[in-house]
Structure formats: C-alpha cells, structure tokens
Amino acid sequence: MTERHRHPTRRTALTLLGATAAGAALAPHAAAHARPGGRSDGGLRVYLGAYTGTDTAHGIGVASGDAATGALTLETVVPTADPSFLALSPTGRVLYAVNETTDGRVSAFALAADGTVAEQLGEAAAGGDHPCHLAVHPGGRHLFTANYTSGTVAVLPLDRDGVPGDPVQVLGYTGSGPHPERQDGPHAHMVLPDPAGDRLLTADLGTDTVHVHRFDARTGELTDGSRAPMPPGSGPRHLALSPSGRTVYVLGELDSTITVCGYDARRAALTPVATVPFLPEGAEPAGTTAAEVLVSADGRFVYASNRGHDLVAVLAVDAADETVLRPVSHHPSGGSSPRHLAFGPTQTLLFAANQATGTVAAFRRDPDSGVLAPAGEPLAFPQAVCVLPVAAGTP
C-alpha cells in the first residue's frame, strides 16, 4: 500500500557505503591522470558515477573506451555532488544524475555530438532524501527517482530540452522488514519503466516488496497496480526484465539471491516463482551484500554481483522456461565492492564499478557460454559506483 504526498517526511540518513575520506583522498590522483578534451577512436563513450564526499572537484567521470579491448581512458571529471546513478535521455543528448544527498537532487547535462558534457542544463528536487536510482520514461517527457532514506518514488517532468522540473508526484511506501538496521522502514532502491512505458516497477529494499504501478504519460501520474512480497529479509534492490517481457529477475541485496517472477504487464502483476542463491557453493552471504543484476539481450544469461566475496556470478536461463536459472560460473570483479555492472553496447564487454578500490574493470563476454574473462587493466576512478557505456556517436 502506498501513501501519496507531495512533501515526504525525512528519515535519519543512513551511513552510505563508500562515502569515506579515503575516496576523497584518491580524487586528486585520478584527476592528475585524466586526459582533458577530445576522445580516442576506441568506439566507446563511458560515463562514471561516484560518491564525492567533501571533494568538490569530484563528480561524473567522462571516459573514452576501446570497443574491442574494453580499455578505458579518463578524459575529464564534471563536478557534482554524489552522482551515484546515471541515465541517458532516449535521444542520447542529455545525461541525468541523481545527487545522493540528504536533500536529494537530479542534475541534467547536455551532451555534445562527441559525447562530451557541454553544459549543465539544470537541476530539480528528487522527491526525497538520498536518491539512489533514476530512470527516464521511454517517451522522454518524465523521469522517475527512487529515494532510499525517504522510502519514496517520485515523478519529475522533463521539458522539450530535457530539463527536469520539481516532482509532480511523490509516492511514499509504508512497512518494514526483519533486518533490524536495513529494514527499519521503506527504502526505495530502483525504478524500472517497462518498454511500453505504461508500467513502473519499483524495488523497496526496506519492506521486501516489488511494486508495479500503472503510469499515465498524459497526466504524469502513477497509480497503484499491485505489490509482490519477496522473501522476508531478502531486501530487493535491483530488477532486470527479460527480453520477452514475461519474467523479472529480482536481486536480493541482503541474502544474495535472485527471485524469479512471472510478469503480466496487462494486469500490472508480478508473481514470484522461485528464489535462487547465486553465491558459490559453500559461500556464506553473512556480512556480504548483492548489488546488481543484468540479463543479456538474447535472454540466455543473467549476471549478478556480490560485495564481500567481490564476484560476478553467471547464471544460464533455461531455454524452455526462462524462470529456471542454473549457475554457470563465478568471476572476481576486478576490485573490491562491485556496486554496479553494465554491458557494453554490443554485449561482448561487461564493466564492473568497484567502489572500495575505486576501479572500473572490463571483461570480455563469451556470448555462447556467458563466461567472462578480464580485459586489460582496470581504470582508476575514486568511489566508482556506476558505469554507463554507450557507442561512439550515440548522442
């Protein structure tokens, strides 16, 4: 059940992973090795999100990359506070970032034809405290935020240039979960519009719930569709929708599992089918947390990361029933605390943002077996928590 309001109450801010003085101390080192201006002929433009702490010079990294090898070169850093998650507009001409601060904001940046950041277009209130995720509606006129500490989901309007306005709607969730510290109340962690754009799936880590809202793009309003309880104490963090649109893979941050759900977009309904642990056999989830889940474009493989064991798991999707997952392999993440994973544009590369070591690692991906192999030296980028690769010339 949700409560609609325009001014969400604020909760005491949780201590954010990685917002440490050590990360700030590394920032000048990375800046000294940045190559300002221009780009190589590598074929990739990669945007990097990070926690900045008190380092006002840190922010969004803009890198060039080699589409064959995955090698990255940092070109510049665009200062902005705690840009922990990034997204592009449908046109590829505007880059959005949440500013994960107590008084959360969303910042928008215009991109030049070569993918460099041309200017900041504007910013707006995120609709709650510590926004940790955002997504742009396929129609390009609305943006959604998940605000962790407030436990709220907000809808922001976008004008014709992609500039965000303050929220037109904020939904506040209620409830709690069994974990005494992480589930004291609602903690929205992800917003995922489905491809048609008339449904919004949201993950609430604090209440072990995934909500499916109906969305009216004409009014910019979310309404209640359904709520799907996840395993108690699992802490749903992120979601991945299968290419068929019939299955949603729900990552449990607190127990390192994937709950596989059937999805009926017409009824706005999510039905849990099975919960699959993804750590290696014998590995304990205690003291570790999962972070990201991806599904390949062909629907054959699911990837998930764990912080603590610092690995990326590969699971195969059954050809006859995509709700059935089978563990294939486990790979070191190329650093410590892999918070975010992302495919390269052709999905022959996978990138991992390792927060604790401040590195972005690249892996070659075998599309037939799904397995990963390290691809060169990781790129140093302090407190890296998000990686957004796009093809050269996308904007």
Side-chain angles (χ1 to χ4, degrees), residues 49-93:
Y51 285 126
T52 60
T54 58
D55 183 4
T56 58
H58 201 25
I60 299 170
V62 182
S64 59
D66 188 301
T69 67
L72 300 179
T73 300
L74 184 65
E75 295 182 349
T76 190
V77 176
V78 180
T80 190
D82 292 326
S84 65
F85 203 85
L86 310 173
L88 281 175
S89 66
T91 64
R93 301 307 297 265

Side-chain angles (χ1 to χ4, degrees), residues 49-50 82-87 96-100 131-135 190 238 292 339-340 385-387:
D82 292 326
S84 65
F85 203 85
L86 310 173
Y96 297 98
V98 290
N99 297 111
E100 193 174 334
C132 58
H133 196 269
L134 82 169
M190 186 179 189
H238 277 193
E292 186 59 277
R339 184 180 175 96
H340 188 236
V385 293
C386 184
V387 53

Side-chain angles (χ1 to χ4, degrees), residues 174-194:
T174 60
S176 60
H179 194 289
E181 296 176 357
R182 298 296 307 280
Q183 296 186 311
D184 57 325
H187 294 302
H189 216 305
M190 186 179 189
V191 283
L192 176 66
D194 73 5

Side-chain angles (χ1 to χ4, degrees), residues 36-272:
R39 66 179 300 172
S40 69
D41 296 328
L44 291 177
R45 173 65 68 193
V46 182
Y47 305 100
L48 306 174
Y51 285 126
T52 60
T54 58
D55 183 4
T56 58
H58 201 25
I60 299 170
V62 182
S64 59
D66 188 301
T69 67
L72 300 179
T73 300
L74 184 65
E75 295 182 349
T76 190
V77 176
V78 180
T80 190
D82 292 326
S84 65
F85 203 85
L86 310 173
L88 281 175
S89 66
T91 64
R93 301 307 297 265
V94 182
L95 177 68
Y96 297 98
V98 290
N99 297 111
E100 193 174 334
T101 58
T102 301
D103 185 13
R105 310 288 292 175
V106 171
S107 296
F109 301 87
L111 299 180
D114 65 353
T116 55
V117 174
E119 62 176 332
Q120 182 168 353
L121 291 174
E123 62 177 36
D129 298 343
H130 297 111
C132 58
H133 196 269
L134 82 169
V136 183
H137 184 267
R141 299 306 299 272
H142 298 91
L143 181 147
F144 308 102
T145 63
N147 302 292
Y148 181 86
T149 303
S150 300
T152 57
V153 167
V155 183
L156 280 65
L158 300 175
D159 71 14
R160 294 187 181 278
D161 295 321
V163 180
D166 286 339
V168 294
Q169 184 187 24
V170 178
L171 296 180
Y173 297 132
T174 60
S176 60
H179 194 289
E181 296 176 357
R182 298 296 307 280
Q183 296 186 311
D184 57 325
H187 294 302
H189 216 305
M190 186 179 189
V191 283
L192 176 66
D194 73 5
D198 53 8
R199 303 287 184 265
L200 181 73
L201 291 80
T202 69
D204 183 355
L205 183 149
T207 68
D208 292 320
T209 305
V210 175
H211 297 265
V212 184
H213 297 286
R214 302 178 189 275
F215 180 68
D216 188 333
R218 295 171 300 175
T219 64
E221 289 281 311
L222 292 166
T223 58
D224 285 335
S226 65
R227 60 186 304 274
M230 295 294 116
S234 61
R237 173 188 172 93
H238 277 193
L239 319 168
L241 181 64
S242 70
S244 72
R246 298 190 300 267
T247 305
V248 174
Y249 303 100
V250 182
L251 183 85
E253 175 175 337
L254 303 182
D255 64 0
S256 289
T257 61
I258 296 173
T259 297
V260 186
C261 303
Y263 176 54
D264 186 329
R266 183 182 60 82
R267 296 191 301 113
L270 202 65
T271 304

